[in-house]
mmCIF file of all heavy atoms in Angstrom:
data_model
loop_
_atom_site.group_PDB
_atom_site.id
_atom_site.type_symbol
_atom_site.label_atom_id
_atom_site.label_comp_id
_atom_site.label_asym_id
_atom_site.label_seq_id
_atom_site.Cartn_x
_atom_site.Cartn_y
_atom_site.Cartn_z
ATOM 1 N N HIS A 211 2.442 1.468 0.759
ATOM 2 C CA HIS A 211 3.584 0.777 0.151
ATOM 3 C C HIS A 211 3.590 0.993 -1.375
ATOM 4 O O HIS A 211 2.978 0.236 -2.158
ATOM 5 C CB HIS A 211 3.480 -0.761 0.448
ATOM 6 C CG HIS A 211 4.703 -1.511 0.133
ATOM 7 N ND1 HIS A 211 5.108 -2.648 0.843
ATOM 8 C CD2 HIS A 211 5.707 -1.346 -0.827
ATOM 9 C CE1 HIS A 211 6.221 -3.139 0.330
ATOM 10 N NE2 HIS A 211 6.617 -2.323 -0.656
ATOM 11 N N HIS A 213 6.316 2.275 -4.778
ATOM 12 C CA HIS A 213 7.679 2.607 -5.295
ATOM 13 C C HIS A 213 7.522 3.597 -6.400
ATOM 14 O O HIS A 213 6.989 3.256 -7.490
ATOM 15 C CB HIS A 213 8.349 1.314 -5.804
ATOM 16 C CG HIS A 213 8.565 0.284 -4.733
ATOM 17 N ND1 HIS A 213 9.761 0.202 -4.041
ATOM 18 C CD2 HIS A 213 7.773 -0.727 -4.261
ATOM 19 C CE1 HIS A 213 9.673 -0.799 -3.152
ATOM 20 N NE2 HIS A 213 8.483 -1.379 -3.303
ATOM 21 N N ASP A 303 13.025 -2.166 2.463
ATOM 22 C CA ASP A 303 12.157 -2.883 1.493
ATOM 23 C C ASP A 303 12.895 -3.134 0.149
ATOM 24 O O ASP A 303 13.592 -2.265 -0.360
ATOM 25 C CB ASP A 303 10.874 -2.150 1.198
ATOM 26 C CG ASP A 303 9.973 -2.979 0.281
ATOM 27 O OD1 ASP A 303 9.829 -4.202 0.549
ATOM 28 O OD2 ASP A 303 9.449 -2.446 -0.663
ATOM 29 N N GLY A 304 12.645 -4.291 -0.388
ATOM 30 C CA GLY A 304 13.379 -4.827 -1.506
ATOM 31 C C GLY A 304 14.327 -5.900 -0.992
ATOM 32 O O GLY A 304 14.645 -6.863 -1.666
ATOM 33 N N ARG A 305 14.742 -5.720 0.238
ATOM 34 C CA ARG A 305 15.533 -6.686 0.962
ATOM 35 C C ARG A 305 15.104 -6.734 2.417
ATOM 36 O O ARG A 305 14.567 -5.738 2.929
ATOM 37 C CB ARG A 305 17.019 -6.259 0.967
ATOM 38 C CG ARG A 305 17.661 -6.189 -0.381
ATOM 39 C CD ARG A 305 19.151 -5.901 -0.200
ATOM 40 N NE ARG A 305 19.835 -7.093 0.370
ATOM 41 C CZ ARG A 305 21.152 -7.071 0.726
ATOM 42 N NH1 ARG A 305 21.878 -5.987 0.586
ATOM 43 N NH2 ARG A 305 21.694 -8.194 1.172
ATOM 44 N N HIS A 330 10.617 -6.204 4.877
ATOM 45 C CA HIS A 330 10.397 -7.100 3.741
ATOM 46 C C HIS A 330 11.007 -8.394 4.170
ATOM 47 O O HIS A 330 12.221 -8.556 4.133
ATOM 48 C CB HIS A 330 11.110 -6.474 2.519
ATOM 49 C CG HIS A 330 11.331 -7.383 1.343
ATOM 50 N ND1 HIS A 330 10.769 -7.153 0.109
ATOM 51 C CD2 HIS A 330 12.041 -8.509 1.209
ATOM 52 C CE1 HIS A 330 11.142 -8.089 -0.728
ATOM 53 N NE2 HIS A 330 11.894 -8.939 -0.111
ATOM 54 N N GLN A 382 5.627 -6.346 5.943
ATOM 55 C CA GLN A 382 5.174 -5.917 4.608
ATOM 56 C C GLN A 382 4.759 -7.151 3.801
ATOM 57 O O GLN A 382 5.275 -8.245 3.963
ATOM 58 C CB GLN A 382 6.261 -5.130 3.930
ATOM 59 C CG GLN A 382 6.639 -3.869 4.717
ATOM 60 C CD GLN A 382 7.770 -3.086 4.070
ATOM 61 O OE1 GLN A 382 8.920 -3.495 4.087
ATOM 62 N NE2 GLN A 382 7.470 -1.918 3.572
ATOM 63 N N HIS A 383 3.809 -6.932 2.920
ATOM 64 C CA HIS A 383 3.361 -7.955 1.930
ATOM 65 C C HIS A 383 3.490 -9.432 2.358
ATOM 66 O O HIS A 383 4.213 -10.158 1.773
ATOM 67 C CB HIS A 383 4.032 -7.732 0.582
ATOM 68 C CG HIS A 383 5.553 -7.487 0.616
ATOM 69 N ND1 HIS A 383 6.418 -8.329 1.309
ATOM 70 C CD2 HIS A 383 6.306 -6.544 0.043
ATOM 71 C CE1 HIS A 383 7.641 -7.859 1.140
ATOM 72 N NE2 HIS A 383 7.610 -6.796 0.381
ATOM 73 N N ASN A 429 8.121 -10.179 -5.866
ATOM 74 C CA ASN A 429 8.772 -10.623 -4.659
ATOM 75 C C ASN A 429 8.134 -9.998 -3.454
ATOM 76 O O ASN A 429 8.074 -8.792 -3.332
ATOM 77 C CB ASN A 429 10.240 -10.239 -4.693
ATOM 78 C CG ASN A 429 11.060 -10.874 -3.578
ATOM 79 O OD1 ASN A 429 10.548 -11.693 -2.829
ATOM 80 N ND2 ASN A 429 12.324 -10.505 -3.506
ATOM 81 N N PRO A 430 7.558 -10.787 -2.482
ATOM 82 C CA PRO A 430 7.533 -12.231 -2.420
ATOM 83 C C PRO A 430 6.775 -12.789 -3.637
ATOM 84 O O PRO A 430 5.859 -12.170 -4.138
ATOM 85 C CB PRO A 430 6.833 -12.582 -1.116
ATOM 86 C CG PRO A 430 6.443 -11.310 -0.501
ATOM 87 C CD PRO A 430 6.955 -10.175 -1.306
ATOM 88 N N ASP A 456 2.033 -2.314 -3.057
ATOM 89 C CA ASP A 456 3.411 -2.615 -3.436
ATOM 90 C C ASP A 456 3.635 -2.302 -4.922
ATOM 91 O O ASP A 456 4.257 -3.064 -5.638
ATOM 92 C CB ASP A 456 3.818 -4.073 -3.120
ATOM 93 C CG ASP A 456 5.343 -4.272 -3.135
ATOM 94 O OD1 ASP A 456 6.077 -3.278 -3.337
ATOM 95 O OD2 ASP A 456 5.766 -5.437 -3.026
HETATM 96 ZN ZN1 ZN B 255 9.233 -5.810 -0.515
#
Side-chain angles (χ1 to χ4, degrees):
H211 193 150
H213 296 267
D303 185 46
R305 298 187 70 185
H330 164 118
Q382 299 178 288
H383 46 48
N429 190 4
D456 195 5

